Amino acid sequence: MGEPLNNYSAVVESIRVMTGLPFQLSLKRITVSTVGIIHAINKLHNDLPGLNLAVSLHAPAQDIRCQIMPAARAFPLQKLMASLQEYQRNSQQKILIEYIMLDGVNDEEQHAHQLGKLLETFQVVVNLIPFNSIGMLSQFKPTTEQKVSAFQKILRGTYNIRTTIRKQMGQDISGACGQLVVNVPDKSLGNAEPLTDIEDLFI
């Protein structure tokens, strides 16, 4: 849980332990996911060449990112994309883009086209992540399967971007991604404020 690149030194040290003796894991089998901590991304390739990078983008525009991810206010989208471009130029590796689908927020066709244009010069894999409902604890709602599929078709067909859809598992027992952490009966919420940061629900 949490943002790994906010604990940069410990993450780098931990990965070096995992890739050294006696474990000897390959860096190609390790992925670090971040909301986009620019100054840390700028150091990552030099410190851990070969590591896989995943970025929780979740929106194709800065205003939407700030709405669903308050941390994005500190890392403007334009500067983040410039940092990723430099990272990719140095690493020559594909970047995984994580994109959680939220009904009426970032899942419309216009958002798919915005995302496609934002990423068309990159070598990326986009992973579309259906949002798992947690009742009254969140203001966000799941996107329909039809809209997720249409979003994927635009990225693939119009922009030739490799796009996958994360398989959903465990919803029937409230054990899907995000549900185990925050799922409680609605009647027990009292005056609790709904969660507004998607990263609190997603990671």
Side-chain angles (χ1 to χ4, degrees):
M1 301 291 284
E3 168 56 52
L5 296 190
N6 276 338
N7 198 15
Y8 186 84
S9 296
V11 168
V12 170
E13 182 180 353
S14 298
I15 292 173
R16 285 174 175 166
V17 169
M18 289 187 282
T19 56
L21 292 171
F23 306 107
Q24 293 185 297
L25 297 179
S26 170
L27 273 172
K28 293 180 180 180
R29 295 186 176 273
I30 299 175
T31 301
V32 170
S33 176
T34 177
V35 297
I37 311 298
I38 294 173
H39 61 274
I41 292 172
N42 292 341
K43 299 187 294 183
L44 202 55
H45 174 66
N46 287 333
D47 289 333
L48 295 168
L51 180 76
N52 295 303
L53 177 66
V55 178
S56 296
L57 198 62
H58 300 322
Q62 177 69 3
D63 59 334
I64 304 175
R65 284 197 94 221
C66 290
Q67 175 189 343
I68 63 178
M69 299 169 58
R73 297 189 186 106
F75 306 102
L77 184 59
Q78 187 175 2
K79 291 184 178 180
L80 172 59
M81 300 313 293
S83 175
L84 294 178
Q85 208 160 37
E86 181 67 18
Y87 177 88
Q88 187 154 76
R89 185 161 42 244
N90 292 329
S91 69
Q92 296 297 305
Q93 289 179 262
K94 287 186 178 179
I95 297 172
L96 176 64
I97 300 296
E98 298 164 326
Y99 194 100
I100 195 163
M101 302 289 289
L102 303 172
D103 183 45
V105 177
N106 65 352
D107 65 341
E108 305 294 341
E109 288 189 6
Q110 67 184 43
H111 299 129
H113 286 291
Q114 287 177 313
L115 184 63
K117 291 173 183 175
L118 186 68
L119 299 174
E120 61 184 349
T121 61
F122 288 82
Q123 292 296 314
V124 297
V125 177
V126 175
N127 187 18
L128 302 179
I129 305 168
F131 175 65
N132 296 308
S133 179
I134 54 171
M136 293 174 62
L137 267 178
S138 173
Q139 65 180 355
F140 305 115
K141 303 298 179 187
T143 298
T144 64
E145 290 184 13
Q146 291 82 358
K147 288 180 80 172
V148 176
S149 179
F151 202 99
Q152 181 189 42
K153 287 179 181 177
I154 290 172
L155 292 178
R156 280 182 169 178
T158 305
Y159 300 96
N160 197 30
I161 294 173
R162 183 182 170 193
T163 308
T164 61
I165 299 173
R166 178 178 290 183
K167 184 178 180 180
Q168 293 177 282
M169 300 178 68
Q171 282 187 312
D172 56 328
I173 58 170
S174 296
C177 180
Q179 292 181 320
L180 285 174
V181 177
V182 295
N183 195 19
V184 296
D186 290 344
K187 63 183 179 182
S188 69
L189 291 176
N191 295 321
E193 291 292 326
L195 296 170
T196 56
D197 188 341
I198 200 64
E199 287 296 299
D200 290 339
L201 308 173
F202 166 61
I203 295 180

